[in-house]
Amino acid sequence: MSTSKEVDDKKQPGFVLGAEVDESASLDTITALVAEDHQHEIQLRTMSWQKTAVLLAGDQVCLAIMAQSWSLSVLGWVPGIITMILAGALFWITSITMHKLIMKHPQIKDICDFGYYAFGQSKWAFYFSAFMLLANNIILIGFHVLTGAKVLNTLSDHSLCTAVFSGIVTIMGIVMSAPRTLRHVSFMSMFSSACMGIAILLFLIFAGIEKAPLYGYNGNYPSDGPVRTYAFPLPGTTWVACMNAVLNITFLWVPQILFPTFIAEMERPQDFPKALAVLAGISAILFIVPPAIGFRYLGQYATAPAFGSLGVTAYKKASFGFVIVPTLIIGVIYANVTAKFIYNQVLGRSRHSHSNTLIGWGVWGLIMIGIWLIAFIFSEVVPSMGDFLSLLGAAFDSFFGFIFFAVAYWQLYRGRLFDGLSRTIMTLINVFVMIVGLFMLGPGLYAAVEAIIADYAGSTTPAFTCANLSI
């Protein structure tokens, strides 16, 4: 199938229109897309499933893992572990649904194209997805700028203003975001995963050998009594706290906003489930085991991230210091996906988009600088990025983790949703996926906003502050 026939006659940026294709025809389309891409000077569709797995791991093996002990301290063992397992199961189901729709429409380049097809080739769905992509990713990059500043504050004993550290992280992010292909970013992801793995391992060792944690949100040890764990939330735990703990868990399990862009740069997109299986195996271990061990040793003193509960300063620095690498590289991954979407709207159909031209690289550089500078501003003006992560989980992950894929499932199987027992079961599961998404968007969003209001009502960190943000 000629790829030129997939382009709308109106040549509207971002839209790839055309008749629906069956599964066998999609393989011909993939072959044509890869062949066309390999004729260019800058080739994008070059990643193997192994490199994709490394890229996925680089994105998912992140600091958010170290916030899960706090989630367990709010929810307790039973609701916490159940939420983690359920989130993992839904992650696998929704990701497979995503892949199936992309295989039906292999010309999909990003989550915006995915939304366009999932909602019946709706332009409004494309524009809505575009807004959500930009808002979600840029705020997340801002979170990583702030995290990088926290790491530098902690390691240097606050030797400079936090705003200066944030500026340093922003400049480093811009420089590291220079590569235009995810194949090069995948190489950096290996170091990201390794460093985060070392940070987690060191934390577990230090938490185990310490007599007791030092700090908790309810006071320093032992002001809240001896360390203890519990099966269910402690008396007095608010619904808002429980909901934010759930959002914290689901946020970790919802990276699908990036997946269409990853798949679009694979040489064999049909192999994506192999990379996904590797990620699911890694996630099942890292998203549950370290947080559970952390909760075991920190109990009600668990903080987010858990490094903050360590009592010995050397322990805290030794483990938290390694986080600077994944903080930067994960920011680079989100910046690359975000820049590619903007870049495709600006130069997507010109030779500059796939050639080493001055205009091509100049536009790429300006877009990347703009993304990181806006993210820097977000990192400085938001009073509590932790609460805003809950807001992201409710406002964005409700769509990109659940609602989009329930709708995509309906698009894939409409007219035969109840054909046989297995299809009926999967249909009911996807009804549940939709309910979860709507619950996050409704009560979940309310809880996140309530937490932000509480932060504004209390003492907030001023914008562009020099205050010490060490953990």
Side-chain angles (χ1 to χ4, degrees):
M1 180 182 292
S2 171
T3 55
S4 62
K5 294 181 180 179
E6 300 293 338
V7 181
D8 182 21
D9 293 337
K10 295 181 180 180
K11 297 185 181 298
Q12 296 169 346
F15 294 108
V16 189
L17 303 182
E20 291 188 357
V21 293
D22 58 33
E23 194 167 324
S24 59
S26 70
L27 296 177
D28 295 333
T29 304
I30 291 170
T31 302
L33 289 169
V34 173
E36 181 186 26
D37 176 78
H38 287 187
Q39 294 174 2
H40 298 153
E41 190 175 5
I42 296 177
Q43 299 174 4
L44 298 178
R45 294 180 179 269
T46 56
M47 284 202 300
S48 64
W49 72 264
Q50 292 92 340
K51 289 182 179 178
T52 305
V54 171
L55 187 64
L56 290 171
D59 172 58
Q60 283 298 88
V61 182
C62 60
L63 180 62
I65 295 172
M66 301 307 297
Q68 303 310 301
S69 295
W70 169 79
S71 293
L72 288 174
S73 74
V74 174
L75 298 172
W77 285 116
V78 176
I81 297 298
I82 289 175
T83 303
M84 290 175 174
I85 294 173
L86 184 60
L90 294 181
F91 158 75
W92 175 263
I93 292 169
T94 53
S95 298
I96 290 297
T97 299
M98 167 184 277
H99 180 252
K100 287 181 178 179
L101 187 72
I102 291 175
M103 288 302 296
K104 189 175 183 179
H105 304 285
Q107 60 271 32
I108 290 174
K109 291 183 178 180
D110 48 48
I111 195 67
C112 306
D113 285 344
F114 181 90
Y116 170 73
Y117 281 106
F119 286 87
Q121 301 190 16
S122 165
K123 294 179 182 179
W124 287 109
F126 179 89
Y127 295 134
F128 174 76
S129 302
F131 167 76
M132 298 284 276
L133 170 73
L134 296 176
N136 179 80
N137 287 12
I138 292 176
I139 293 175
L140 265 178
I141 297 167
F143 170 76
H144 286 89
V145 170
L146 179 61
T147 301
K150 284 178 175 286
V151 175
L152 295 179
N153 262 297
T154 302
L155 294 178
S156 68
D157 295 322
H158 187 53
S159 61
L160 293 173
C161 284
T162 294
V164 174
F165 281 134
S166 296
I168 293 172
V169 173
T170 301
I171 293 171
M172 293 172 67
I174 293 172
V175 173
M176 293 174 65
S177 298
R180 282 161 61 177
T181 65
L182 286 172
R183 175 168 53 90
H184 292 93
V185 178
S186 175
F187 177 75
M188 288 190 283
S189 293
M190 292 187 293
F191 297 98
S192 174
S193 300
C195 288
M196 193 65 225
I198 293 172
I200 293 171
L201 181 60
L202 288 175
F203 163 76
L204 295 178
I205 293 172
F206 296 148
I209 63 178
E210 273 193 338
K211 292 183 179 180
L214 171 65
Y215 173 74
Y217 291 133
N218 294 322
N220 289 351
Y221 179 86
S223 61
D224 199 28
V227 173
R228 64 191 187 279
T229 63
Y230 27 89
F232 296 95
L234 294 172
T237 304
T238 65
W239 180 84
V240 169
C242 288
M243 193 66 224
N244 279 320
V246 170
L247 289 172
N248 194 50
I249 293 172
T250 55
F251 170 81
L252 182 60
W253 279 101
V254 180
Q256 290 100 322
I257 191 172
L258 305 175
F259 286 5
T261 306
F262 292 176
I263 295 171
E265 295 200 23
M266 292 183 68
E267 195 164 16
R268 286 178 51 85
Q270 57 268 42
D271 288 342
F272 179 74
K274 297 179 182 178
L276 187 65
V278 173
L279 176 64
I282 293 173
S283 300
I285 297 171
L286 290 182
F287 292 3
I288 298 177
V289 176
I293 297 174
F295 181 45
R296 160 65 180 81
Y297 285 106
L298 302 178
Q300 76 276 24
Y301 291 94
T303 59
F307 301 108
S309 294
L310 294 176
V312 180
T313 302
Y315 291 172
K316 191 179 300 184
K317 289 185 177 182
S319 54
F320 193 46
F322 281 95
V323 175
I324 190 64
V325 176
T327 294
L328 283 167
I329 293 176
I330 294 172
V332 167
I333 294 173
Y334 276 92
N336 185 281
V337 171
T338 308
K340 275 202 173 76
F341 169 74
I342 300 173
Y343 192 81
N344 285 334
Q345 308 312 304
V346 178
L347 296 175
R349 292 186 173 89
S350 72
R351 67 183 182 89
H352 304 291
S353 66
H354 49 70
S355 302
N356 289 311
T357 65
L358 182 61
I359 292 177
W361 280 104
V363 171
W364 177 262
L366 288 174
I367 292 173
M368 198 60 77
I369 290 171
I371 288 171
W372 279 94
L373 287 181
I374 296 172
F376 167 77
I377 294 172
F378 268 112
S379 74
E380 296 303 302
V381 301
V382 172
S384 172
M385 288 302 294
D387 286 341
F388 270 75
L389 284 182
S390 295
L391 180 65
L392 285 175
F396 298 107
D397 291 349
S398 57
F399 286 100
F400 293 135
F402 300 95
I403 295 173
F404 268 42
F405 308 119
V407 174
Y409 177 87
W410 178 80
Q411 286 286 356
L412 285 168
Y413 299 105
R414 58 181 175 176
R416 47 196 177 96
L417 294 172
F418 300 97
D419 288 356
L421 179 60
S422 61
R423 179 57 52 216
T424 300
I425 292 173
M426 288 306 301
T427 297
L428 293 176
I429 290 174
N430 277 275
V431 170
F432 178 69
V433 169
M434 175 62 79
I435 292 172
V436 171
L438 293 175
F439 182 79
M440 290 178 62
L441 186 60
L445 187 59
Y446 168 80
V449 171
E450 282 292 313
I452 293 173
I453 291 174
D455 269 347
Y456 272 108
S459 59
T460 60
T461 303
F464 300 95
T465 181
C466 276
N468 186 0
L469 297 184
S470 302
I471 61 170

